[in-house]
Amino acid sequence: MRKFGMYAKFTSKPGDREALAAILLEAAAAAETVKECELYIVNLSESEPDVLWVTEVWSNAEAHAASLKDEATRATIQRAMPLIAGVEPIPLVPLGGKGLAFGAMDA
């Protein structure tokens, strides 16, 4: 199976970026225990004051989809929703690079 990646652009409501960042960082900490989540990085935009980017890599698309059904993940999403003005997901197929382990089945 090939890996699944995503860039997700989160636009917070004005003044809520720091609170949204805190929730996304909590999600990143929770992902530490999820074997299928290989990368979850929260980034601040330097040019857009209400924007955060999340960079994710999962062992496969099914693992990502399953994570969104997890009860704790759903609770985190519900806490974040009032702070979010918009989300733009950009799905990706990771090919390789520093920091990612690829096996014979990943290509």
Side-chain angles (χ1 to χ4, degrees), residues 3 13 15 18 21 43 51 55 58-60 88 101-102:
K3 294 188 187 290
K13 292 180 179 172
E18 303 312 317
N43 307 276
V51 170
T55 306
W58 292 79
S59 59
N60 56 65
E88 181 183 340
F102 283 83

Side-chain angles (χ1 to χ4, degrees), residues 28-79:
E32 289 286 337
T33 62
V34 180
K35 181 181 84 168
E36 297 85 3
C37 182
E38 299 180 24
L39 184 71
Y40 191 103
I41 300 174
V42 179
N43 307 276
L44 294 176
S45 172
E46 287 190 345
S47 60
E48 299 170 286
D50 296 322
V51 170
L52 297 114
W53 287 90
V54 173
T55 306
E56 300 178 58
V57 175
W58 292 79
S59 59
N60 56 65
E62 293 77 16
H64 177 259
S67 76
L68 297 175
K69 295 176 184 174
D70 176 77
E71 192 173 312
T73 300
R74 293 178 63 78
T76 300
I77 291 169
Q78 288 303 310
R79 286 181 37 233

